[in-house]
Amino acid sequence: MLPTIDLDYLKTVAPGHSIVNDGGMTCVLVPSFPLPEGFDRPCVDLLLRLAPGYPDVQPDMWWFNPAALRIDGVVIPATQATEGFFGRQWQRWSRHLNPGQWRPGIDSLQSYFTLIRKELLAAAPAKVA
């Protein structure tokens, strides 16, 4: 199960989320996760698969359904793989934290969501002035 700080955060920012155990992984499904401008849709479902030992063990990667694609057709690096979970195909965003980037006892789902949003903004097309 997730720490109280994560459960409280999810209640605030992700109404309708669900938490499921799948093969020893704690899976967090966030419906209608908002995407920034420049993507082909305003929101997607977000899936996190947290390894046993989380939050002492850092999160690794996340998945979107449907796939989050740029409106200009440019392929976002390390997002081409799809994986099946819960009867759906998920676009895997293969992103890995650097050693020391995750701080056990300090970082939480809130900091991980901040990282996901940062990656989405970096992947979005540049705005034309």
Side-chain angles (χ1 to χ4, degrees), residues 30-50:
V30 177
S32 302
F33 186 82
L35 297 175
E37 286 185 42
F39 285 89
D40 65 337
R41 63 192 78 246
C43 60
V44 292
D45 290 347
L46 166 66
L47 174 64
L48 304 178
R49 294 180 53 81
L50 305 172

Side-chain angles (χ1 to χ4, degrees), residues 9-10 30 33 46 48 109-117:
Y9 178 73
L10 288 170
V30 177
F33 186 82
L46 166 66
L48 304 178
L109 285 185
Q110 182 173 359
S111 51
Y112 200 56
F113 275 46
T114 298
L115 176 104
I116 293 170
R117 287 187 189 95

